[in-house]
């Protein structure tokens, strides 16, 4: 289809996405992909994520409970879906785009205490959904978005997300032409039957109907594509026209989803329903190239991630490091390499060099990602020592960088007792210690949203490797930590070869460290993985993969 004129949109439109049948079927990726194909038509798109739990943010949750905590540039501790939105939309998402039940109730209560409701009785309905609506509209205004996607966490029929569905109903009642509702459902193929079943989705639609909402489209997730007879069946029973029932089978890579959705025609259908005019034909070339690269491979590059396994098994490990894994992929694809992640549990690592050599056999690069607490740190440090001594390319992220400093102080400076006070509060050599501003907060048990969070500037030293990699003398990176390098040790560490190559502008905080005499050994106090985008890999990951590929 051709569009003759650039039509300026000053309307705000909204697409709510709810889940049916079960969680974990890729509602976030589906919403992000829908956003990507709308953006490919020149529309401004943003996304709001709603998590129905009481926690005000994801920052206080254990990674086993929650998976990765994704940090926004303005310092919000959010859900990994926000990371998916940043990667798929290539847009920065901020605080106003993220809400939880706790956050919504907190502002309603604070407003009531400040007489913000003018003496009225404050009720769950309508005041709570009104607060939700206000936040959605604020996000749309902030981003000047033509389309705002709103992903409602959980599945329909749960008690927890009912007020968010109520917000969707109220918004739709108010401006029916500007609000769509989509359902991402799941169609199982029971082993004994070998046939894809539509009934759970039919029930999910009925449940959604009982909240006063009729879906405009249904995205049908399943291990296989949806065939015509089932599309027809769903159309009849769910009261949704057949072309608005979208097949979304499992794919080899999530980066192929936008292309598949475009082929299914959902972009045009949504545009039509919302009476939106594209600014140009869909530009999907970059997505096609990316999904091809993601599936074709190339020569493998093997990167070990030295992680902390979840108590409940291995499941949450990869989830907790989701953005790190994506950043490795982006960089590897850019360099035409096939990324292979080798999961190494830090707990497994024993103090026998042979065992470590076996665990890291064939590994081209090592990442020690962020983390908290005492558990498994010795294993991480053994891996760091191994990478340092054997010249294996290494990237330490946040805790990984702090532990690299501890390891260096112990084995190169000869400070046997060197430690982080997070691990041993009484250590004689506190090379990593609590930041000044954190001391009082910890005494007051003021844990929520009080780390050093969000984007901070960092100055890169002349002649350093990081400066060459970034091609800049100052960069912004996202942070999430309470501890820092103790500057009392800086001169000694530098004298022995651990260059403090990135500093905060006032020089007080070491933001990056690197070894001169090593193929690639960099530690960063920040989380570069949060800035990596599929079409713009992060320089520190590119550097790692380049070094790993030539090792
Ligand atoms: N636990 C460390 C700190 O709080 C590192 C945090 C992290 O890796 N994100 O400083």
């Amino acid at each position: 289809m051709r569009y003759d004129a650039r039509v300026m949109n000053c309307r705000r439109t909204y697409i709510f996405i709810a889940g049916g049948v079960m969680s974990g079927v890729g509602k976030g990726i589906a919403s992000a992909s829908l956003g990507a194909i709308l953006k490919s038509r020149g529309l401004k798109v943003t996304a709001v994520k709603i998590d129905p739990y009481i926690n005000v943010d994801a920052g206080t949750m254990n990674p086993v409970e929650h998976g990765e905590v994704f940090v926004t540039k303005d310092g919000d501790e959010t859900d990994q879906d926000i990371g998916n939105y940043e990667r798929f939309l290539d847009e920065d998402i901020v605080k106003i785009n993220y809400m939880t039940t706790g956050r919504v109730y907190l502002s309603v209560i604070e407003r009531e205490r400040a007489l913000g409701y003018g003496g009225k009785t404050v009720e769950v309905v309508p005041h709570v959904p009104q607060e939700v609506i206000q936040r959605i509209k604020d996000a749309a205004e902030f981003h000047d978005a033509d389309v705002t996607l709103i992903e409602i966490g959980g599945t329909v029929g749960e008690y927890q997300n009912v007020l968010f569905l109520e917000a969707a109903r109220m918004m739709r009642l108010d401006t029916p032409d500007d609000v769509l509702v989509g359902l991402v459902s799941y169609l199982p193929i029971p082993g004994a039957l070998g046939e894809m079943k539509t009934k759970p989705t039919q029930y999910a639609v009925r449940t959604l109907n009982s909240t006063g909402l009729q879906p405009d489209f249904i995205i049908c997730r399943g291990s296989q594509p949806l065939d015509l007879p089932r599309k027809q069946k769903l159309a009849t029973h769910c009261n949704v026209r057949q072309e608005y029932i979208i097949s979304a089978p499992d794919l080899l890579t999530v980066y192929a989803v936008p292309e598949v959705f475009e082929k299914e025609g959902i972009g045009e259908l949504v545009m039509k329903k919302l009476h939106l005019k594209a600014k140009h034909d869909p530009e999907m070339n970059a997505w096609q190239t990316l999904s091809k690269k993601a599936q074709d491979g190339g020569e493998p590059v093997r990167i070990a991630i030295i992680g902390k396994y979840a108590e409940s098994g291995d499941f949450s490990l990869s989830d907790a490091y989701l953005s790190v894994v994506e950043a490795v992929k982006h960089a590897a694809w850019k360099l035409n390499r096939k990324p292979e992640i080798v999961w190494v549990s830090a707990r497994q690592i024993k103090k026998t060099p042979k065992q470590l050599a076996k665990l890291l056999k064939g590994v081209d690069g090592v990442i020690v990602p962020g983390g908290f607490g005492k558990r498994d740190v010795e294993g991480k440090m053994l891996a760091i020592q191994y990478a340092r001594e054997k010249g294996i390319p290494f990237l330490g992220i946040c805790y990984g960088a702090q532990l690299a400093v501890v390891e260096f102080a112990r084995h190169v400076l000869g400070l046997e007792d060197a430690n982080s006070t997070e691990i041993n509060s009484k250590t004689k050599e506190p090379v990593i210690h609590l930041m000044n501003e954190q001391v009082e907060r910890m005494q007051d048990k003021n844990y929520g949203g009080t780390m050093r969070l969000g984007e901070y500037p960092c100055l890169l030293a002349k002649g350093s490797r990081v400066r060459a990699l970034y091609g800049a003398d100052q960069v912004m990176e996202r942070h999430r930590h309470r501890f820092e390098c103790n500057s009392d040790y800086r001169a000694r560490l530098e004298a022995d070869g651990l260059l403090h190559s990135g500093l905060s502008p006032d020089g007080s905080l070491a933001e990056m460290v690197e070894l001169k005499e090593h193929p690639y050994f960099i530690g960063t106090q920040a989380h570069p993985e949060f800035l990596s985008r599929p079409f713009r890999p992060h320089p520190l990951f590119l550097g790692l993969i380049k070094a790993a590929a030539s090792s």
Side-chain angles (χ1 to χ4, degrees):
M1 196 187 298
R2 281 254 137 235
Y3 297 96
D4 300 319
R6 282 175 75 91
V7 182
M8 291 309 290
N9 250 304
C10 37
R11 262 177 74 219
R12 306 265 181 248
T13 64
Y14 303 91
I15 306 175
F16 284 87
I17 308 277
V21 178
M22 65 187 204
S23 64
V25 298
K27 191 152 33 94
I29 295 291
S31 313
S33 300
L34 176 56
I37 60 178
L38 295 174
K39 187 177 172 180
S40 82
R41 291 163 163 79
L43 296 179
K44 289 195 87 176
V45 180
T46 192
V48 167
K49 172 77 201 277
I50 297 175
D51 274 330
Y53 42 68
I54 298 285
N55 304 58
V56 173
D57 56 44
T60 50
M61 268 183 266
N62 185 321
V64 178
E65 291 276 316
H66 183 270
E68 171 179 275
V69 174
F70 187 87
V71 181
T72 60
K73 89 194 233 185
D74 58 347
D76 203 6
E77 296 171 284
T78 70
D79 179 71
Q80 63 193 37
D81 275 323
I82 295 287
N84 287 327
Y85 289 124
E86 288 211 347
R87 286 186 281 270
F88 276 69
L89 299 177
D90 200 3
E91 300 282 342
D92 286 340
I93 303 283
V94 291
K95 241 181 206 147
I96 191 65
N97 292 56
Y98 183 63
M99 69 180 107
T100 65
T101 299
R103 185 171 290 191
V104 170
Y105 267 90
L106 192 63
S107 36
V108 169
I109 291 167
E110 278 171 358
R111 190 164 156 205
E112 183 277 323
R113 293 287 81 185
L115 280 184
Y117 291 96
K120 282 214 181 83
T121 309
V122 183
E123 313 250 26
V124 170
V125 179
H127 295 106
V128 172
Q130 274 170 358
E131 172 67 26
V132 175
I133 292 168
Q134 192 55 50
R135 283 167 174 266
I136 293 168
K137 289 188 171 169
D138 286 350
E141 286 307 315
F142 181 89
H143 295 276
D144 190 24
D146 300 311
V147 184
T148 301
L149 290 146
I150 307 109
E151 181 191 344
I152 301 178
T155 40
V156 292
E158 283 171 22
Y159 175 74
Q160 308 214 55
N161 56 18
V162 105
L163 288 171
F164 300 109
L165 294 167
E166 179 68 359
R169 190 192 63 77
M170 282 164 65
M171 260 182 107
R172 191 170 202 169
L173 182 70
D174 232 18
T175 49
D177 292 342
D178 300 340
V179 178
L180 292 190
V181 175
L183 180 75
V184 178
S185 193
Y186 183 72
L187 286 91
I189 305 177
L193 299 177
E195 187 199 347
M196 188 178 250
K197 303 305 284 178
T198 63
K199 194 72 81 193
T201 298
Q202 296 178 37
Y203 286 136
V205 170
R206 290 201 181 176
T207 309
L208 189 61
N209 289 159
S210 71
T211 68
L213 290 167
Q214 166 66 19
D216 295 284
F217 59 91
I218 306 175
I219 294 177
C220 297
R221 290 280 299 112
S223 57
Q224 283 178 35
L226 189 67
D227 59 4
L228 195 59
R230 263 152 273 263
K231 272 196 182 184
Q232 285 163 342
K233 196 178 216 174
L234 283 172
T236 312
H237 291 277
C238 302
N239 201 21
V240 174
R241 286 177 65 92
Q242 195 182 304
E243 65 268 31
Y244 286 87
I245 294 171
I246 308 296
S247 166
D250 287 350
L251 299 170
L252 288 175
T253 167
V254 293
Y255 295 109
V257 179
E259 200 191 345
V260 168
F261 276 16
E262 184 55 40
K263 283 197 188 122
E264 276 282 306
I266 183 168
E268 284 311 309
L269 292 167
V270 162
M271 299 286 292
K272 200 163 96 188
K273 272 230 163 176
L274 285 173
H275 311 289
L276 286 166
K277 297 259 185 311
K279 304 230 161 92
H280 48 68
D281 282 348
E283 286 167 358
M284 294 300 292
N285 287 352
W287 283 108
Q288 278 154 6
T289 312
L290 184 78
S291 88
K292 200 165 158 5
K293 275 199 176 183
Q295 290 171 74
D296 283 359
E299 227 189 288
V301 60
R302 304 183 77 217
I303 303 295
I305 296 182
I306 316 295
K308 196 154 106 171
Y309 275 80
E311 295 291 357
S312 54
D314 299 352
F315 305 111
S316 21
L317 180 71
S318 54
D319 244 20
Y321 305 125
L322 182 76
S323 293
V324 175
V325 175
E326 295 311 300
V328 167
K329 289 182 190 167
H330 303 157
W333 294 333
K334 175 84 180 177
L335 297 166
N336 296 314
R337 289 295 188 129
K338 182 184 163 133
E340 276 181 23
I341 305 290
V342 181
W343 295 109
V344 178
S345 158
R347 173 167 289 186
Q348 274 181 299
I349 300 174
K350 301 276 168 326
K351 220 177 172 147
T352 54
K354 255 203 192 146
Q355 186 243 11
L356 198 52
K358 207 168 139 199
L359 276 177
L360 297 182
K361 193 163 174 258
V363 158
D364 304 308
V366 170
I367 294 177
V368 176
F372 293 85
K374 290 184 194 158
R375 180 156 80 79
D376 300 346
V377 286
E378 294 303 326
K380 288 182 185 175
M381 277 192 271
L382 285 167
I384 294 169
Q385 183 180 9
Y386 188 83
R388 181 176 60 76
E389 291 176 350
K390 303 278 182 210
I392 301 172
F394 165 80
L395 179 63
I397 298 173
C398 202
Y399 211 19
Q402 295 173 357
L403 295 175
V405 173
V406 174
E407 188 279 317
F408 191 86
R410 282 185 190 174
H411 302 123
V412 181
L413 267 57
L415 306 174
E416 260 175 53
D417 282 334
N419 220 332
S420 163
T421 54
E422 181 173 0
I423 302 162
N424 174 7
S425 58
K426 297 196 177 74
T427 174
K428 283 196 217 93
E429 307 285 1
V431 291
I432 305 292
H433 65 178
L434 204 56
M435 279 184 272
N436 266 340
E437 77 229 29
Q438 294 290 336
V439 177
E440 213 172 292
R441 291 179 198 167
M442 292 304 90
Q443 279 160 3
D444 297 346
K445 290 198 185 302
N446 184 9
Y447 296 115
T450 57
M451 285 192 231
R452 180 170 178 247
L453 287 169
E455 204 173 61
Y456 285 92
C458 166
L459 305 183
L460 305 176
K462 247 195 194 140
S464 64
R465 191 193 290 260
V466 284
R467 182 138 155 186
L469 286 165
Y470 280 96
D473 52 12
Q474 179 171 344
V475 290
M476 298 294 275
E477 285 285 355
R478 294 188 195 169
H479 293 257
R480 180 172 187 251
H481 61 119
R482 294 191 199 279
F483 293 80
E484 60 165 346
C485 291
N486 181 345
S487 50
D488 292 349
Y489 293 87
R490 193 181 294 176
R492 273 188 280 170
L493 290 163
E494 290 215 316
D496 276 7
L498 190 67
L499 190 67
H500 288 44
S501 48
L503 296 177
S504 58
D506 66 358
S508 67
L509 295 170
E511 304 282 29
M512 296 190 202
V513 293
E514 66 185 53
L515 274 184
K516 265 206 168 123
E517 308 298 326
H518 194 282
Y520 191 94
F521 191 99
I522 291 175
T524 168
Q525 188 57 77
H527 288 272
E529 69 273 23
F530 295 147
L531 295 188
S532 177
R533 306 272 168 93
F535 306 118
R536 284 185 292 124
H538 191 283
L540 295 185
F541 283 90
L542 272 177
L544 176 76
I545 302 295
K546 213 177 251 174
S550 55
S551 68

